Amino acid sequence: MKYMLVMRASEEAYAGMANADFTEMLETVGSFNEELIRAGVLLAAEGLADAEEGVVVDFSTEPPVVTDGPYGEAKELFGGFYILNVASKEEAVEWGKRLPIKGPGFKTEIRRVSTIDEFPQDNEWIKKERAWRESTGQL
């Protein structure tokens, strides 16, 4: 099963990281990533650029409204993610508890990633997506 570990933090928590030693942080995260690789569970891991560089597309109106970051109303910011292929939700939680960036204001949301096999296989769009995934080696 695939699970996404969504790394979130408050603005205060990110601000506290501003003074962290970047080389030390890379060593800490790199070591954790190496554990995931050795365990054979890592499928993807990415960090995100600063929220000020992003935009929000709000579909509350037609046409949708696009707003530049930062997101003043956000209590927590989505800072990156891991996608793991593990045997169970419990295993995903155990990996999530070991994430190296932690402390007050940091959280990790863990959600199962739905697979194409969970959708109606006779649907035209699912057939097209399955063919694309097979052609790109994803299935």
Side-chain angles (χ1 to χ4, degrees):
M1 288 181 271
K2 290 182 189 176
Y3 279 87
M4 177 180 265
L5 282 59
V6 180
M7 299 178 302
R8 301 183 322 191
S10 64
E11 289 181 17
E12 294 80 19
Y14 279 122
M17 287 181 57
N19 297 325
D21 181 286
F22 189 68
T23 303
E24 184 178 314
M25 186 174 61
L26 286 178
E27 177 70 29
T28 301
V29 173
S31 177
F32 178 71
N33 292 354
E34 188 175 344
E35 286 183 59
L36 293 169
I37 292 166
R38 278 196 311 257
V41 299
L42 182 62
L43 297 177
E46 301 293 344
L48 298 176
D50 192 281
E52 292 182 7
E53 297 178 33
V55 298
V56 171
V57 179
D58 184 342
F59 294 97
S60 298
T61 62
E62 185 59 46
V65 175
V66 178
T67 307
D68 290 334
Y71 316 112
E73 71 281 351
K75 300 262 188 286
E76 295 176 340
L77 299 173
F78 176 24
F81 66 90
Y82 285 87
I83 297 181
L84 306 181
N85 187 16
V86 294
S88 66
K89 179 178 173 180
E90 292 76 21
E91 184 180 356
V93 169
E94 288 305 312
W95 282 111
K97 288 171 23 180
R98 294 176 60 190
L99 280 165
I101 298 176
K102 49 187 143 191
F106 290 97
K107 295 181 181 178
T108 299
E109 179 180 346
I110 300 171
R111 303 207 22 212
R112 190 176 63 80
V113 177
S114 301
T115 68
I116 192 169
D117 295 330
E118 296 176 57
F119 294 92
Q121 298 303 298
D122 59 347
N123 178 280
E124 168 190 0
W125 298 106
I126 299 301
K127 288 178 182 178
K128 288 180 180 183
E129 182 176 336
R130 180 174 287 285
W132 169 76
R133 288 179 181 268
E134 287 172 351
S135 73
T136 59
Q138 296 181 48
L139 285 179

